[in-house]
Each structure stands twice: as structure tokens, then as C-alpha cells.
Amino acid sequence: MERAVLPELLDELAADDLRAVRSRRDLVFLNALMGNERWILRCLRELLPAQGGRVIELGAGQGILLRKIARAHPQARLEAIDLMPEPQGLDSVEWRQGDLFQMGLDFDGAVVVANLFLHHFERPELRVLGELLQGAKALIACEPERRPLHLWQGRVLSPLLGEVTRHDLAVSVGAGFRGDELMDFLGMDAGWQWQLERTWRGAHRVVGVRQ
């Protein structure tokens, strides 16, 4: 499968559109099915110091993962970046609304988390992101694995999903990653050590740690 980054319907809908509400509910189900958030929390337990550290989530959405991180690491400094406004009940999180490429952000020393977010970007944008992240302590990324098997799995799940999610799931798989693509696209320097894990449920999981 050749990689193709195409528009996803959810990104074009108003936050209160009923189709968007249904799709966000579907995403909670899919994240649970894939085990994405459980895996990210396991990685954070290994990477964060006892005193808390700094965690930045890219594409934080509804803040569901951040709430879990806050419970597991109450001493951590939590930050979020998203195009959406800050959800209610995230007073402990420093929320930045806008385009991360236009913010001039400082990632130094942070553990950066991205869950089903990086596949939205073409290779040149990912290279820019890699430059921004050079000073980070670590990157934890969970993205779709781009394989026909996972397109078929999406079709099997389609009766359980709304129309927006059925469309976006196929688009997401087509924009996902295989092999070392994500690390290559980010172009991080030789000071980073990477681990890659792929699951039969369609997750492409990457952990990078700056040495």
C-alpha cells in the first residue's frame, strides 16, 4: 500500500455536529480495542521521573488521555496542543489552542505523546516536527499500521461504527506507517534511540528516547 494522506471527515465537522459526537465516541471504543492508551501509560511509567516531569500531548482532542495521565502522575506538568478549545475539567493542564507549527513551542526536556495524530501529516511536515522535537526527552507515538489486513478489520467493525468513522478509519489506515517510515520522516538525529512495535489490531507504536 502506498501512503496517501487524505482529508478526514471529522476534521471538517463542527464540534457539536451529531456526526462528530458519534465519531468521537467511536474513537474512544477504537482506542480501547487497540489498547493505545494503556500502552502509552505503560511507557510513561518507565520514562517519567518520580517527581513528575513534563508531558506534552499533541492533538489532545477531548483530553481523555490527559485525564488518565493526570491521575497516574499527579506531580507531572501536563501540556496540550490542539486545534479544538480546551475541554471542561482540565484545570491542571496548560492547554494551547492552535497550529503547533505556528506556535514556536519549546519541547526541551518533555516527554511528547501523540496518539493517532502524526498520520495526518505529509513527510515535509513530519520533518519540520522532527526538528521541533530535537530537544525533547522522548517521543511516544501510536499510529495506524498501513496494511490491507487492517482495512479488512475496519470493514468487519463497520456495523458498530458511525458513517464518519467508517470513512475516516480507512483514510487513517491509508495514511499510516510501515517499517521505519515514521522515524525516517521525522529525521531525528543520531542521538535518538528508537523502538518499534506493531500489533495485530492495527497499531504502529514508536518510542524514541534522546540519549
Side-chain angles (χ1 to χ4, degrees):
M1 292 177 61
E2 293 295 326
R3 184 170 189 257
V5 179
L6 300 174
E8 297 187 14
L9 296 179
L10 181 59
D11 296 333
E12 301 171 358
L13 296 174
D16 58 354
D17 188 301
L18 292 180
R19 293 170 297 170
V21 173
R22 168 63 192 271
S23 185
R24 289 194 295 271
R25 190 164 65 243
D26 290 342
L27 288 174
V28 173
F29 164 68
L30 290 173
N31 266 298
L33 186 65
M34 295 172 71
N36 294 345
E37 293 174 351
R38 293 191 298 274
W39 173 77
I40 290 170
L41 290 169
R42 286 200 302 272
C43 292
L44 286 172
R45 284 197 296 271
E46 297 177 5
L47 290 170
L48 285 179
Q51 62 269 30
R54 181 185 180 204
V55 180
I56 303 175
E57 184 180 6
L58 307 180
Q62 302 173 80
I64 294 173
L65 176 58
L66 281 170
R67 297 176 203 275
K68 295 179 181 180
I69 296 173
R71 288 195 294 270
H73 303 277
Q75 302 303 317
R77 173 186 169 188
L78 303 183
E79 303 172 41
I81 302 166
D82 201 283
L83 293 173
M84 293 178 59
E86 180 179 355
Q88 293 183 347
L90 283 177
D91 297 338
S92 62
V93 176
E94 183 178 348
W95 190 278
R96 295 185 178 92
Q97 182 182 1
D99 184 338
L100 72 90
F101 295 105
Q102 304 297 325
M103 291 181 172
L105 297 170
D106 169 22
F107 292 97
D108 286 357
V111 177
V112 179
V113 173
N115 184 28
L116 302 180
F117 178 71
L118 301 182
H119 70 278
H120 289 94
F121 301 108
E122 297 279 8
R123 182 170 187 163
E125 295 169 306
L126 290 170
R127 178 55 60 94
V128 173
L129 179 59
E131 293 172 358
L132 293 174
L133 295 178
Q134 285 291 1
K137 174 182 178 179
L139 171 65
I140 304 171
C142 190
E143 299 297 326
E145 173 81 6
R146 192 178 75 252
R147 294 186 183 277
L149 168 64
H150 307 312
L151 288 175
W152 175 81
Q153 289 172 328
R155 289 194 289 271
V156 170
L157 289 172
S158 62
L160 304 176
L161 306 173
E163 61 175 315
V164 171
T165 310
R166 289 196 295 269
H167 172 273
D168 287 357
L169 192 154
V171 171
S172 295
V173 173
F177 303 97
R178 294 182 67 166
D180 295 335
E181 285 179 340
L182 180 55
M183 292 87 87
D184 291 341
F185 292 172
L186 289 168
M188 315 283 268
D189 63 31
W192 284 75
Q193 182 176 347
W194 296 95
Q195 294 181 347
L196 169 64
E197 173 185 325
R198 293 166 296 206
T199 76
W200 67 270
R201 294 180 180 179
H204 184 95
R205 297 170 173 174
V206 170
V207 179
V209 179
R210 184 161 58 89
Q211 301 302 300

